[in-house]
Amino acid sequence: MLLSLVSRRSLEVDTRDSYGFALRPQHVQRYREYARIYKEEEEERSEKWRIFLENQKESNQFCSSEEEPRQILQAAELREETISVRGQEGDYSSGRRSNFHGSEECDHYKEAQLADAPEKEVQYLEEQQKEQSSAEPGKEVQLSKEPEKEDQNSKELEQVVHHLGEPEKEVQLSKEPKEDKLLLKQSKAGKVQTWYGIRQSLRALEKMMSSRVKHTKNMKDNQITASRDHILSTKDAKLGGQAKDVEEDVCVKDTFDEKVKKTTEENTADNENSLELFFPWKEELVFLVHGGVPKDLRGEVWQAFVGVKARRVERYYEELLAEETDADESEDHGNSTDVARKWKRQIEKDLPRTFPGHPALDEHGRDSLRRLLLAYARHNPSVGYCQAMNFFAGLLLLLMPEENAFWTLVGIIDDYFDGYYTEEMIESQVDQLVFEELMRERFPKLVNHLDYLGVQVAWISGPWFLSIFVNMIPWESVIRVWDVLLFEGNRVMLFRTALALMEIYGPALLTTKDAGDAITLLQSLAGSTFDSSQLVFTACMGFLAVNEAKLQELREKHRPAVLLLVEERSKENRVWKDSKGLASKLYSFKHDPGSITEEKNNGEGGNSDFESPSSNLDALLGSPNVETEADLLPNLQDQVVWMKVELCRLLEEKRQAILRSEELETALMEMVQEDNRRQLSAKIEQLEQEVADLQQALSDKKEQEAAMLQVLMRVEQEQRITEEARETAEQDAAAQRYAVTILQEKYDKAMASLSQMEQRVVMAESMLEATINYESGQAKAHSPRSGHNQSSAEETPGRSMSLLKFGLGWREKVKGKPNHESAHSISSNEGKDCSTWQKESKD
Amino acid sequence: MGCSSSLPDRSSRRLSGLGNPESNGVPDAKNLRVKLVLLGDSGVGKSCIVLRFVRGQFDPTSKVTIGASFLSQTIALQDSTTVKFEIWDTAGQERYAALAPLYYRGAAVAVIVYDITSPESFNKAQYWVKELQKHGSPDIVLALVGNKADLHENREVPVQDGMDYAEKNGMFFIETSAKTADNINQLFEEIGKRLPRTPPS
Ligand SMILES: Nc1nc2c(ncn2[C@@H]2O[C@H](COP(=O)(O)OP(=O)(O)OP(=O)(O)O)[C@@H](O)[C@H]2O)c(=O)[nH]1
Ligand SMILES: [Mg+2]
């Protein structure tokens, strides 16, 4: 395989990656770091795929087993021929062919070195042919299912013979005059055209994916036929008398149409469900594809994904190349070839600017690329050649033989990217609007920031989409994205990858301060996305909602706006081109009056220059006819007539232009309205944002309020506690007051009893006095009485006297202290107690 | 807003030629920030001119430009103003013209390039002049550049033609060579001098 050589080379030349693509100097270091990871990942995925395919093989064995004996026979037959062809040529394409089956040793750079080991080479070829022939019968089996083919068997046989005999044919072909020329012209073309089916182990995969091809074709059948009819008719008109060419054309297109119809019929029985049913391993395959396709399988797996085999029409590619040669020779300079020449010139400009310096794109590589692009342009004139296809074709040519690359390119451009690379590029413009909407939905903050900086998302995403990330992100990542994209068969992966890039780098972008910085940063960050697995997984897992159905819906929504603009533009251009037509005529008249005659003649032939004046200009400036017609120098009279005619036309144009400008004005008004609507929606967005902010603020306030409430409640509680405390204190006070009254009462009682006692004392005193008086009366009376009696009497009154004295002394004592004084002392005592209590209650 | 604009653009009003007053880039007249767009037929050398100006190198095998690519470069003029050029290098193939409005809208400068060895590219340049006069910013500075001046022996567009056309349309004209670096810096310096100096208020 070419790539294996490249990786070897890259060891010598540091500035290229393992695919042979140039690395930017600032990325060399990072690439080196990742190269190790890539290698590990590659080993891992090779193993996984090997196991997967082995399981496939087991379940598919029955398909090919019966063909085995025949194969071996054929392979043996083939060997000799192959060797002889090989010996003669040893060119790029034959090298390419052997590379195709994954043999490490074979590519044309190596061939010179390998010359001393022919045996080895033969061995490889043998193997490859074996595989080849084993692949073919499968096709027969498939074909034989078609009921409408009556002479199926004989045809098949022919096909097989035709195919197997190809190497020989190349040598024999020189007998046919037409092919002869072709061979001389494109020295290597005969070989390059050869078609190769993919290896046996991938055929189940191919079968599954092919059924999808039929499915899409079924849906688009009418369109395709219609567009082909259209192309035919325009071609017809352009060619005028070139009946021969038209016939050939029709023939080719017919085969194509037939094929399309055929597959359509086959497909009527098919549907998505049966697909799942027949291929239960589809889930596993999805997983494997996300992890990446192994390098040495990639070329074939991609073909299987795109359903190249189902798309292929036998000999179609050869016919396209032959057509090209014929056009070259047929020296006519009608409009049809003018268009073709325009493509051709653009292709020539772009060939050296396609992966410049890539080791595989040397002179032969570029021849191959040129043929491929020209063939495609002829195959689909509604696209022709569009810049970007040069990169795609270049990439495919690194992975597969030329014709296979052609059919893969057809699948990608006609199917996956239908309407993308046409003259108006409608679908690519639609996709940009869709992407912008998705961005707004997914990353509103980022888009707002970009809006603020004045950066439009499409400035950056446009080139991403148009180039399918080629040259935009590192190659390993490009190829991993392509793995998924080609597998899925639509442009979903394009969107998901772009969204993933925005997700990964969005945060960094938010820090930028001006438009230039933002764009530069995003470009350089995207350019250093070496972590291809992260990118693919982010894309595939992170944006599941972005699916084909949603994209279709959004496309429908945005398409009318684009169509309107395209319409405006094309009208405007037509006006311009007409006036330019005159300007350039005058310009060339100034420099080369002779050319006017030709122009005039052309003009009389029909208003053809209206269609493509720029190519007319080419004819003027580059036409060799000018010399031959120069001797018919026009006289002044003719010139005046011509000028008059032109003047009239110009006036007519002016009138048209005025009408146009009116139309444009109304369109502008519409657009302004549209713009207003957009502004409004932006404003609504802003208002919504504000509302959200306010709501946020509100909830903040509420929170604060709640907090305040809590504080308030706590304060209240405390208050309640103090209240309670006061109440208890009051109760205490009451209790004390109660105690005081009790004490008072006790005191009163005590006072009462005291006064009673006093009364009693007074009574006792008076009694005592009375007694004393009585006793003294008695004593006077009893004084003569015996002493004996006296002594005893004396004794007794002494005892009673002492008692009396005590009684009197106590009375005296009590009388000495006034009563109220003692009462006061008690009350003051009580007052003191009371104040103490009061003090306590205050605390 | 041009009718031919392929995508509606919200920012066009805001990014009016000379920098965006709202963003921090260009606060004064001494440090200009300028959006510049390069237009012209495919292969005339637009990418080579930018690479020569920004990186000072010439790669004879430059890559085809798909869509557009962006580079920026700051220069100092003699009157000590600095100009930061934010350059959009666009794709040249005719059909990519549909996307061009996206890039020239809001540009302060448009550099229209042709190849002096290709009259067709000179024609294409005139197409771009018309388109910008119609749909570009009203005060856009237009420059007409005849590139590949080093290939004078293959010249097909006389200097005089370029000069006449530029004069008629009020454009600045210069012939350059990205290969030899002839007049490349002069081109951008002259543009810098011609920028309106009214500071954005
Ligand atoms: N002799 C010479 N060749 C030049 C010069 N400038 C560019 N070229 C060549 O012209 C080719 C095209 O140049 P580019 O810069 O890629 O052209 P472009 O205008 O960017 O083309 P697109 O990207 O297709 O629009 C390059 O490969 C150069 O070899 C020049 O000043 N002199
Ligand atoms: Mg370019």
Side-chain angles (χ1 to χ4, degrees):
Chain A
M1 200 129 226
L2 265 183
L3 294 177
S4 60
L5 162 96
V6 165
S7 62
R8 243 170 277 143
R9 287 209 157 181
S10 68
L11 295 176
E12 300 151 25
V13 190
D14 273 330
T15 52
R16 292 192 174 272
D17 65 13
S18 64
Y19 298 99
F21 296 113
L23 282 165
R24 282 176 228 165
Q26 69 266 32
H27 289 153
V28 172
Q29 186 56 38
R30 281 201 73 195
Y31 174 74
R32 276 210 208 107
E33 286 163 22
Y34 272 94
R36 191 181 45 81
I37 297 171
Y38 293 160
K39 207 173 148 236
E40 281 168 17
E41 284 181 344
E42 179 65 24
E43 279 163 14
E44 202 180 306
R45 73 172 70 102
S46 294
E47 185 59 18
K48 279 188 196 156
W49 278 80
R50 194 184 56 75
I51 294 166
F52 173 75
L53 291 178
E54 254 164 32
N55 292 341
Q56 290 309 302
K57 213 190 215 159
E58 275 162 31
S59 56
N60 283 305
Q61 204 111 59
F62 65 95
C63 285
S64 53
S65 54
E66 48 189 293
E67 308 285 344
E68 217 77 65
R70 207 168 129 202
Q71 276 170 38
I72 290 160
L73 213 87
Q74 286 164 344
E77 263 172 45
L78 262 165
R79 192 196 289 172
E80 273 175 78
E81 286 166 348
T82 319
I83 295 165
S84 66
V85 169
R86 192 83 174 149
Q88 288 167 12
E89 301 207 349
D91 65 348
Y92 179 52
S93 40
S94 61
R96 177 64 67 69
R97 177 211 284 177
S98 43
N99 288 338
F100 180 52
H101 289 280
S103 59
E104 286 267 324
E105 306 299 318
C106 301
D107 53 62
H108 78 286
Y109 302 106
K110 278 257 146 185
E111 245 154 61
Q113 297 163 35
L114 280 175
D116 54 335
E119 271 174 22
K120 205 169 174 186
E121 231 174 315
V122 169
Q123 214 182 347
Y124 271 110
L125 280 168
E126 211 178 307
E127 265 174 35
Q128 154 212 332
Q129 291 291 357
K130 217 164 159 182
E131 209 161 42
Q132 188 53 50
S133 44
S134 72
E136 272 317 300
K139 191 169 159 194
E140 283 170 57
V141 173
Q142 231 184 13
L143 281 174
S144 59
K145 284 175 197 150
E146 295 167 35
E148 74 265 39
K149 295 264 174 189
E150 283 176 339
D151 54 346
Q152 190 61 48
N153 288 338
S154 59
K155 252 203 171 156
E156 271 168 46
L157 218 75
E158 249 176 59
Q159 239 174 24
V160 175
V161 170
H162 168 80
H163 181 85
L164 295 177
E166 212 131 39
E168 195 187 19
K169 194 174 129 209
E170 275 160 41
V171 186
Q172 293 174 344
L173 274 177
S174 54
K175 286 166 203 158
E176 292 171 47
K178 191 179 145 197
E179 302 267 28
D180 186 16
K181 260 190 242 159
L182 194 135
L183 233 116
L184 287 174
K185 276 238 158 205
Q186 314 164 348
S187 49
K188 312 282 182 343
K191 271 233 92 159
V192 175
Q193 292 166 28
T194 319
W195 162 266
Y196 284 93
I198 62 172
R199 68 184 76 183
Q200 178 66 35
S201 54
L202 291 171
R203 298 224 19 254
L205 202 74
E206 183 175 55
K207 205 172 148 203
M208 180 180 94
M209 302 312 262
S210 295
S211 60
R212 179 176 72 191
V213 171
K214 292 167 197 163
H215 189 72
T216 44
K217 278 225 176 119
N218 184 23
M219 296 194 302
K220 299 198 339 177
D221 184 34
N222 291 335
Q223 281 173 27
I224 289 177
T225 324
S227 74
R228 299 237 147 243
D229 283 350
H230 171 73
I231 287 154
L232 269 182
S233 60
T234 49
K235 243 194 165 163
D236 223 0
K238 283 176 188 166
L239 277 169
Q242 298 284 321
K244 188 194 97 193
D245 268 15
V246 175
E247 249 168 48
E248 212 171 84
D249 230 45
V250 172
C251 166
V252 174
K253 309 300 185 204
D254 276 354
T255 11
F256 191 83
D257 277 355
E258 203 177 285
K259 173 84 181 179
V260 172
K261 277 174 196 144
K262 198 170 74 192
T263 50
T264 311
E265 277 159 35
E266 272 176 15
N267 190 34
T268 43
D270 270 355
N271 61 40
E272 290 282 351
N273 291 342
S274 69
L275 191 76
E276 298 287 334
L277 221 73
F278 281 125
F279 308 99
W281 36 266
K282 200 179 163 232
E283 281 298 311
E284 194 186 342
L285 183 61
V286 170
F287 185 74
L288 284 177
V289 171
H290 288 180
V293 178
K295 251 181 208 174
D296 57 343
L297 286 177
R298 189 166 269 129
E300 289 159 84
V301 169
W302 279 13
Q303 289 176 59
F305 285 174
V306 177
V308 159
K309 196 169 162 192
R311 292 176 196 277
R312 180 173 184 247
V313 179
E314 190 76 31
R315 288 191 63 79
Y316 183 68
Y317 185 63
E318 283 169 64
E319 304 270 1
L320 286 173
L321 292 184
E323 206 180 317
E324 155 68 11
T325 321
D326 286 353
D328 264 8
E329 279 155 19
S330 64
E331 294 289 316
D332 89 290
H333 296 281
N335 278 330
S336 77
T337 48
D338 272 346
V339 177
R341 208 163 333 128
K342 203 166 92 186
W343 297 331
K344 194 168 181 184
R345 233 193 356 249
Q346 189 65 57
I347 290 169
E348 288 305 333
K349 271 185 202 169
D350 291 351
L351 286 174
R353 299 189 295 156
T354 307
F355 307 137
H358 192 289
L361 286 170
D362 60 356
E363 202 186 315
H364 294 307
R366 297 208 182 280
D367 286 345
S368 200
L369 184 59
R370 176 185 298 113
R371 281 192 299 269
L372 178 50
L373 291 172
L374 284 171
Y376 181 84
R378 293 189 162 269
H379 153 74
N380 185 356
S382 71
V383 172
Y385 168 71
C386 178
Q387 289 184 324
M389 279 163 55
N390 55 325
F391 292 120
F392 307 157
L395 173 58
L396 294 176
L397 277 176
L398 294 174
L399 297 169
M400 56 189 82
E402 191 175 313
E403 193 188 340
N404 299 57
F406 169 78
W407 288 107
T408 311
L409 187 70
V410 166
I412 295 171
I413 308 285
D414 288 7
D415 229 26
Y416 297 17
F417 285 78
D418 188 23
Y420 232 65
Y421 297 104
T422 52
E423 199 66 51
E424 288 86 16
M425 306 190 97
I426 289 168
E427 292 306 311
S428 67
Q429 294 183 58
V430 172
D431 270 10
Q432 284 313 306
L433 292 178
V434 171
F435 182 66
E436 201 191 319
E437 177 164 346
L438 289 174
M439 279 289 291
R440 277 183 196 284
E441 189 183 304
R442 289 295 179 132
F443 308 109
K445 215 165 137 196
L446 177 60
V447 177
N448 274 348
H449 181 68
L450 293 178
D451 276 352
Y452 168 73
L453 296 180
V455 174
Q456 270 193 279
V457 173
W459 289 351
I460 301 150
S461 57
W464 284 355
F465 279 50
L466 285 165
S467 60
I468 322 184
F469 296 104
V470 172
N471 294 328
M472 304 287 158
I473 56 177
W475 269 102
E476 181 77 15
S477 300
V478 171
I479 286 187
R480 291 284 300 278
V481 169
W482 279 57
D483 282 344
V484 181
L485 189 137
L486 295 184
F487 172 69
E488 290 179 347
N490 52 40
R491 301 195 295 272
V492 171
M493 189 56 185
L494 214 52
F495 285 87
R496 289 183 177 174
T497 307
L499 287 169
L501 285 169
M502 292 293 188
E503 173 155 308
I504 297 170
Y505 301 125
L509 283 182
L510 286 173
T511 64
T512 51
K513 296 244 183 321
D514 78 43
D517 292 351
I519 298 157
T520 309
L521 185 70
L522 185 54
Q523 260 185 9
S524 74
L525 285 175
S528 63
T529 313
F530 283 98
D531 196 341
S532 48
S533 292
Q534 184 204 15
L535 179 67
V536 171
F537 290 129
T538 309
C540 293
M541 304 304 160
F543 301 95
L544 290 173
V546 179
N547 54 33
E548 184 67 0
K550 168 149 193 187
L551 290 181
Q552 286 301 358
E553 187 191 316
L554 291 175
R555 283 180 187 132
E556 292 307 319
K557 179 176 151 194
H558 289 290
R559 192 172 287 113
V562 173
L563 287 175
L564 193 78
L565 289 168
V566 167
E567 173 84 347
E568 297 292 340
R569 197 181 169 79
S570 74
K571 278 187 200 160
E572 196 174 298
N573 279 355
R574 214 171 305 147
V575 172
W576 183 80
K577 277 187 175 174
D578 279 356
S579 58
K580 191 193 82 168
L582 180 67
S584 59
K585 271 165 220 150
L586 288 172
Y587 182 77
S588 42
F589 173 65
K590 205 169 103 192
H591 291 269
D592 178 16
S595 63
I596 280 171
T597 325
E598 190 205 26
E599 182 53 35
K600 189 180 150 210
N601 290 344
N602 273 9
E604 279 164 6
N607 205 2
S608 57
D609 51 344
F610 200 81
E611 291 287 326
S612 56
S614 64
S615 30
N616 250 316
L617 183 75
D618 304 340
L620 284 177
L621 295 165
S623 161
N625 288 5
V626 173
E627 265 103 76
T628 53
E629 288 184 66
D631 22 357
L632 303 169
L633 263 176
N635 58 36
L636 276 172
Q637 195 75 43
D638 277 353
Q639 285 183 33
V640 168
V641 171
W642 177 74
M643 291 291 249
K644 274 185 186 162
V645 170
E646 279 300 316
L647 194 69
C648 289
R649 232 187 70 191
L650 206 65
L651 285 172
E652 173 61 18
E653 271 163 23
K654 193 184 152 198
R655 204 178 57 81
Q656 277 182 346
I658 290 166
L659 284 174
R660 274 294 301 137
S661 72
E662 278 163 15
E663 268 177 60
L664 284 175
E665 212 167 305
T666 47
L668 185 72
M669 291 307 292
E670 274 170 38
M671 286 198 37
V672 168
Q673 275 175 349
E674 162 79 25
D675 202 47
N676 281 346
R677 236 170 291 150
R678 287 202 148 230
Q679 253 181 307
L680 274 177
S681 69
K683 216 172 215 165
I684 285 170
E685 230 170 77
Q686 211 182 330
L687 284 174
E688 269 168 355
Q689 182 61 38
E690 273 169 32
V691 167
D693 286 350
L694 283 175
Q695 270 169 347
Q696 181 62 36
L698 197 75
S699 69
D700 282 357
K701 281 266 157 64
K702 270 187 190 159
E703 232 168 85
Q704 277 182 355
E705 212 179 88
M708 292 282 281
L709 218 73
Q710 249 178 342
V711 171
L712 216 77
M713 265 156 64
R714 217 172 297 155
V715 169
E716 256 177 294
Q717 214 170 353
E718 266 170 36
Q719 250 175 6
R720 216 177 302 138
I721 289 166
T722 17
E723 189 83 32
E724 270 168 36
R726 213 182 67 215
E727 268 170 39
T728 42
E730 257 167 56
Q731 274 171 5
D732 281 358
Q736 298 242 356
R737 235 174 283 144
Y738 178 67
V740 167
T741 48
I742 288 176
L743 275 171
Q744 188 81 40
E745 274 170 33
K746 274 184 185 165
Y747 169 73
D748 287 347
K749 247 185 253 175
M751 286 308 278
S753 61
L754 193 67
S755 58
Q756 250 179 337
M757 295 279 275
E758 260 174 271
Q759 278 177 338
R760 250 183 253 167
V761 169
V762 174
M763 248 190 339
E765 244 177 285
S766 52
M767 273 171 72
L768 195 60
E769 264 174 86
T771 316
I772 291 167
N773 289 340
Y774 169 76
E775 267 186 34
S776 60
Q778 279 286 15
K780 277 169 190 175
H782 284 287
S783 44
R785 274 183 203 185
S786 70
H788 170 71
N789 278 353
Q790 220 185 334
S791 70
S792 70
E794 258 178 300
E795 241 178 271
T796 314
R799 209 180 53 214
S800 63
M801 270 304 289
S802 68
L803 193 85
L804 185 75
K805 269 181 189 163
F806 167 78
L808 281 174
W810 183 78
R811 197 188 122 202
E812 219 86 356
K813 207 172 154 191
V814 170
K815 274 188 178 166
K817 280 182 182 175
N819 266 358
H820 71 273
E821 226 185 37
S822 69
H824 174 77
S825 89
I826 290 171
S827 82
S828 83
N829 213 8
E830 185 201 52
K832 196 179 167 192
D833 271 355
C834 185
S835 73
T836 335
W837 174 84
Q838 266 173 350
K839 226 184 189 174
E840 274 168 14
S841 81
K842 264 176 204 156
D843 291 337
Chain B
M1 248 186 90
C3 287
S4 65
S5 56
S6 53
L7 298 168
D9 175 19
R10 211 160 299 104
S11 58
S12 59
R13 284 171 308 285
R14 207 192 293 165
L15 196 81
S16 59
L18 270 179
N20 178 355
E22 283 173 62
S23 63
N24 320 2
V26 188
D28 55 289
K30 280 283 172 192
N31 298 294
L32 302 173
R33 194 159 63 85
V34 171
K35 179 177 170 184
L36 181 151
V37 63
L38 275 153
L39 297 162
D41 203 1
S42 177
V44 295
K46 298 181 294 296
S47 302
C48 287
I49 288 173
V50 184
L51 285 177
R52 172 59 88 181
F53 173 55
V54 176
R55 305 226 173 102
Q57 58 200 24
F58 175 73
D59 182 359
T61 53
S62 62
K63 271 185 234 155
V64 176
T65 309
I66 304 302
S69 98
F70 181 86
L71 279 171
S72 76
Q73 171 76 312
T74 308
I75 59 165
L77 299 179
Q78 270 166 354
D79 62 349
S80 82
T81 47
T82 66
V83 182
K84 182 181 179 188
F85 287 107
E86 298 178 350
I87 305 167
W88 280 106
D89 170 24
T90 62
Q93 198 185 8
E94 198 165 321
R95 64 188 70 182
Y96 280 95
L99 308 179
L102 193 63
Y103 297 100
Y104 68 62
R105 221 188 284 120
V109 183
V111 175
I112 293 158
V113 187
Y114 67 90
D115 171 355
I116 64 154
T117 69
S118 156
E120 195 199 347
S121 75
F122 184 52
N123 252 296
K124 190 79 200 204
Q126 298 175 23
Y127 161 84
W128 282 117
V129 172
K130 297 252 163 51
E131 166 124 357
L132 285 163
Q133 283 170 347
K134 255 186 278 176
H135 303 304
S137 314
D139 54 350
I140 194 166
V141 175
L142 294 178
L144 183 65
V145 173
N147 190 41
K148 306 198 187 178
D150 56 293
L151 299 176
H152 43 80
E153 66 280 13
N154 298 327
R155 176 189 290 280
E156 297 219 19
V157 182
V159 189
Q160 198 58 45
D161 288 15
M163 251 175 346
D164 289 350
Y165 186 80
E167 197 182 336
K168 214 168 66 198
N169 289 279
M171 305 167 78
F172 165 62
F173 174 74
I174 196 167
E175 283 199 350
T176 60
S177 166
K179 189 174 178 181
T180 64
D182 239 22
N183 277 345
I184 297 292
N185 288 336
Q186 286 85 333
L187 164 66
F188 289 92
E189 279 162 21
E190 280 301 323
I191 290 168
K193 283 183 205 159
R194 269 152 224 267
L195 290 169
R197 292 304 161 93
T198 44
S201 50

